[in-house]
Amino acid sequence: AQGGDGEASRAAAALASLEAALAASGPELSGKVKLFLTREPDPTIEQIRATDDRELMDFWGEERSIALYAVPRNATDALFARRPLWRALAPPLGALSASVTVFAYAFSSFLLQPGFVERLSAASQLAPSAEQEAAIQPLMEQALPVAVAFLALQAAHDVGHYAAAGARGVVLGAPTLVPSLQVGLFSSVTPLRAHPPSRAALLDVALAGPACGG
């Protein structure tokens, strides 16, 4: 079908009808095949070299055709199952780095408080001892609630994603916190572990995080 809102709506309705028929066919078929509705793929380098400008423009915009793909479910599972070592290490390393940057941000937020810098300067001039530790500890304790609140807000954000994912049948991987030297924490990156059942389900998962944790 050619592009356009009307054609796209009819294609989406056709996909819904086919998915319903696939589900009704039983697990022998529905458990083996996954349907996808998308535009024609972008041209390859070989196609770009072999076509003129007008033909190339037809690959984009409203003139691109809508295509329906039937993909074996085990093929998509294998795609998401590939986990290089860096991806496995990213969540714990991100959590460790973010904990440091969040606390540093929380501590720095008190630098404009009257008397805070003076107390910090006085404590730093003391020789390393129990007295210096006793002088610095109250300053650290001031920053700790801010850091905990910051991380709790991010945790609520990620819990929102996971709660919506569980309700909508979307499989998520472990989130990776993204540390920031300027604001403590940018947010997190949460990967998909399987293709979502629909775009609507994916949108619900995406909106649930900001709704729960900003």
Side-chain angles (χ1 to χ4, degrees):
Q2 291 299 310
D5 292 340
E7 293 292 344
S9 298
R10 288 192 288 272
L15 175 64
S17 177
L18 286 171
E19 286 182 330
L22 185 63
S25 67
E28 289 188 2
L29 183 59
S30 62
K32 296 179 179 179
V33 178
K34 178 70 176 178
L35 300 178
F36 293 94
L37 186 66
T38 183
R39 295 283 184 183
E40 284 185 339
D42 290 338
T44 63
I45 297 297
E46 290 74 16
Q47 288 175 312
I48 292 175
R49 291 172 177 169
T51 56
D52 58 34
D53 291 341
R54 175 57 189 167
E55 291 175 333
L56 187 59
M57 289 303 296
D58 290 343
F59 282 103
W60 287 281
E62 296 299 328
E63 297 186 19
R64 290 180 66 190
S65 298
I66 298 174
L68 178 67
Y69 294 90
V71 181
R73 285 186 180 273
N74 60 356
T76 60
D77 291 343
L79 174 65
F80 284 97
R82 297 171 186 166
R83 296 193 67 192
L85 179 61
W86 67 265
R87 189 173 296 175
L89 295 177
L93 292 178
L96 179 61
S97 301
S99 298
V100 174
T101 56
V102 165
F103 185 82
Y105 173 77
F107 190 82
S108 66
S109 66
F110 287 93
L111 294 179
L112 297 179
Q113 186 182 48
F116 187 87
V117 174
E118 289 77 5
R119 293 164 59 195
L120 180 62
S121 177
S124 64
Q125 292 175 5
L126 296 173
S129 62
E131 183 181 359
Q132 184 189 50
E133 183 178 343
I136 293 179
Q137 184 174 352
L139 305 180
M140 297 292 187
E141 291 175 351
Q142 278 186 272
L144 187 59
V146 177
V148 171
F150 207 91
L151 292 173
L153 190 64
Q154 180 60 45
H157 179 106
D158 288 327
V159 167
H161 284 312
Y162 280 90
R168 301 289 273 132
V170 178
V171 183
L172 299 179
T176 299
L177 298 180
V178 182
S180 168
L181 294 176
Q182 290 80 23
V183 295
L185 179 67
F186 277 126
S187 188
S188 64
V189 177
T190 304
L192 293 171
R193 296 292 295 139
H195 284 292
S198 67
R199 288 176 293 181
L202 187 59
L203 178 62
D204 289 344
V205 173
L207 294 178
C212 292

